[in-house]
Amino acid sequence: MAVIAESERLAIRDWAEADAEAALEIFGSADVARWLAPELGRVPNKTTMRLLLRAWIAAAENLVPPAGRWAIVSKTDGRVIGGLRLGLLPPFEEDFEIGWQLAPAFWGQGFATEASHALMRWAFATGTIDELYAVARPQNVRACATARRLGMEWVGETDKYYGLAMQVYRIRAAELDGAEQAHRKGA
């Protein structure tokens, strides 16, 4: 499994079918699934999670970087604690989105911000994109707060992406270093 990015506490790597149990703690959680884009509801069981992972792994072969889905792994114990996604927002023409999901047991520890910063650095280093977006339902205060901690600027609300009112945040490649420094200083 290829590690594409690392941070102090985390590694970002390809998903494996063997991750099904840990992935189910993320995507099988009603607290996580309620905020996911309509394309993915709550995963009901380990068998379904394994099939979904298999589909993500197969699809990865046809994606052009930086698009993809990855597992967030704790360097301390090798446990999968979350997932990350990079891909085009609907209508799938130009706006590139970053998305993060963590198992609820790992919320509030800075992992989403740390992993997302690592993935953003990797994505911008590919030279294929120069900005990333994050979208969240207005009621998803945790996701909106994470976007702000990532140094993303709120650019408005729209329903153009998923047919839902979504808060839209954006960061440009040139802004990432400053955003990471500000986050480390606690700004």
Side-chain angles (χ1 to χ4, degrees), residues 79-136:
R79 184 173 179 182
V80 173
I81 64 168
L84 289 166
R85 177 189 170 278
L86 287 173
L88 288 170
L89 282 161
F92 310 107
E93 294 171 358
E94 61 182 338
D95 296 340
F96 225 79
E97 175 188 26
I98 184 169
W100 53 87
Q101 308 82 33
L102 290 179
F106 299 99
W107 290 359
Q109 300 175 50
F111 291 130
T113 304
E114 186 177 330
S116 295
H117 273 151
L119 186 63
M120 291 166 133
R121 277 192 310 280
W122 173 83
F124 289 140
T126 67
T128 56
I129 59 170
D130 61 359
E131 64 184 4
L132 281 168
Y133 290 86
V135 297

Side-chain angles (χ1 to χ4, degrees), residues 31-32 34-36 107 135-146 148 154 156-158 163-169:
D31 290 332
V32 173
R34 68 184 278 206
W35 301 117
L36 298 176
W107 290 359
V135 297
R137 292 183 181 110
Q139 304 84 357
N140 190 348
V141 295
R142 295 179 84 78
C144 293
T146 299
R148 288 189 300 275
W154 182 78
E157 183 172 299
T158 186
L164 301 166
M166 302 291 263
Q167 299 295 304
V168 182
Y169 296 86

